[in-house]
Structures are given as C-alpha cells and as structure tokens.
Amino acid sequence: FFSKDMAVIAEKAIKDGANILCDTNMVKYGITLSRLPANNKVICLINEEKTKKVSEEIKNTRSAAGVQLWKPYLKNSIVAIGNAPTALFHLLNLLQFEKYPKPAAIIGFPVGFVGAKESKEALLKSKITPFCTIYGRLGGSAMTSAVVNALANRKE
C-alpha cells in the first residue's frame, strides 16, 4: 500500500539529498550507494554505544532506541524500517506525541510474528507522513532496501 503521492515525495527527497534512516544494518547494507543521486547519508544507529544506553533507559529494544537517536537526522529524511516492529511503533509514537521533526516518507516493512502486522496497521492508520507498507507479517530488509533502491533509480 502506498499513501497518496508517497513515491513522488520520496523520490524528490532522495534527489534533494535526504538522509536515509535504517532500523538495522541489514537494511543499510542492502541499499546500493551508487544509485543514490545526491551522496545521501545512509544511517543506522543500532550498534552505537549510546543506543544500548538509551535502550536501557527507555526499556525498549535497540532498534527503538536507535529511532529515538535519529532526531537530528529525521527532518525530511526517508525512514526505512525492514526488521523491527518496535522501531516502527516507537517512531509513530515519537512523531505523534513529542513533536519530532517529520520525515519525508516512511517505508514500513517490519517482518515477523510479534508486532509486525500490528505496527504496519498503526502506520496505515496514521496520517503523519507519506508511507508505504505491506499487509500482514511479511516484509523484511531485502524488500525495504529494494524500495529505496527503486526510488533512487526510478526512470520516468
């Protein structure tokens, strides 16, 4: 499912140099850097020392803590979540309640049995920012990276 104009908005953001924020390194390393048109930064904070500390403070996963640490990079970025439902839930909460800077678009494809379907349903109900997602428990880092790569290399 693509929200209205998501692909057009995300493609423009990438061409304008948007940061691409990834929930895991699997998503980050699936993005073909040579396809990015504006030397875009691809950022994943899951393995940063500060992420572990924030995870303990907020009593949530490192993926969710990494999302919290995206704040300086988030405005007009492309968010690519391919593994962690906790990251998508946490992002939606931050955007709704804490007046975080808004990304240009969210690619929300977390995969799995616990929370994946529910996090994507929350994204579908949100009106925060343009997004794309896939229904149910399917998704994953390969699909998420493929969306970023397609947007970065889209031909008209």
Side-chain angles (χ1 to χ4, degrees):
F1 178 86
F2 284 78
S3 66
K4 186 177 192 300
D5 296 327
M6 181 278 182
V8 172
I9 291 166
E11 180 184 27
K12 181 180 182 327
I14 290 171
K15 285 183 178 174
D16 289 345
N19 292 319
I20 300 169
L21 306 176
C22 306
D23 65 330
T24 63
N25 281 319
M26 290 171 61
V27 173
K28 178 181 177 178
Y29 295 130
I31 295 169
T32 307
L33 298 178
S34 63
R35 288 187 181 193
L36 298 175
N39 246 358
N40 309 69
K41 290 182 185 174
V42 181
I43 300 167
C44 177
L45 301 176
I46 195 165
N47 289 328
E48 299 294 318
E49 187 62 35
K50 190 172 185 176
T51 303
K52 184 177 179 187
K53 291 176 186 172
V54 170
S55 173
E56 292 167 359
E57 289 170 11
I58 67 172
K59 296 179 178 34
N60 207 331
T61 64
R62 285 186 302 132
S63 296
V67 166
Q68 190 154 325
L69 295 171
W70 286 347
K71 188 174 182 180
Y73 313 103
L74 194 57
K75 186 175 182 180
N76 298 320
S77 68
I78 301 298
V79 171
I81 297 177
N83 284 312
T86 56
L88 185 52
F89 276 131
H90 198 60
L91 176 64
L92 293 173
N93 284 335
L94 292 171
L95 292 172
Q96 182 177 1
F97 298 113
E98 295 189 29
K99 297 183 181 179
Y100 264 49
K102 301 284 189 274
I106 298 172
I107 301 164
F109 282 42
V111 65
F113 291 102
V114 179
K117 178 180 176 186
E118 294 81 1
S119 68
K120 291 183 269 188
E121 288 171 355
L123 179 61
L124 281 163
K125 291 177 186 173
S126 76
K127 305 288 186 216
I128 296 170
T129 190
F131 68 91
C132 69
T133 192
I134 186 169
Y135 298 104
R137 297 185 329 246
L138 300 177
S141 54
M143 292 177 75
T144 306
S145 300
V147 172
V148 174
N149 289 335
L151 290 167
N153 201 39
R154 197 171 101 155
K155 305 289 184 210
E156 294 188 20

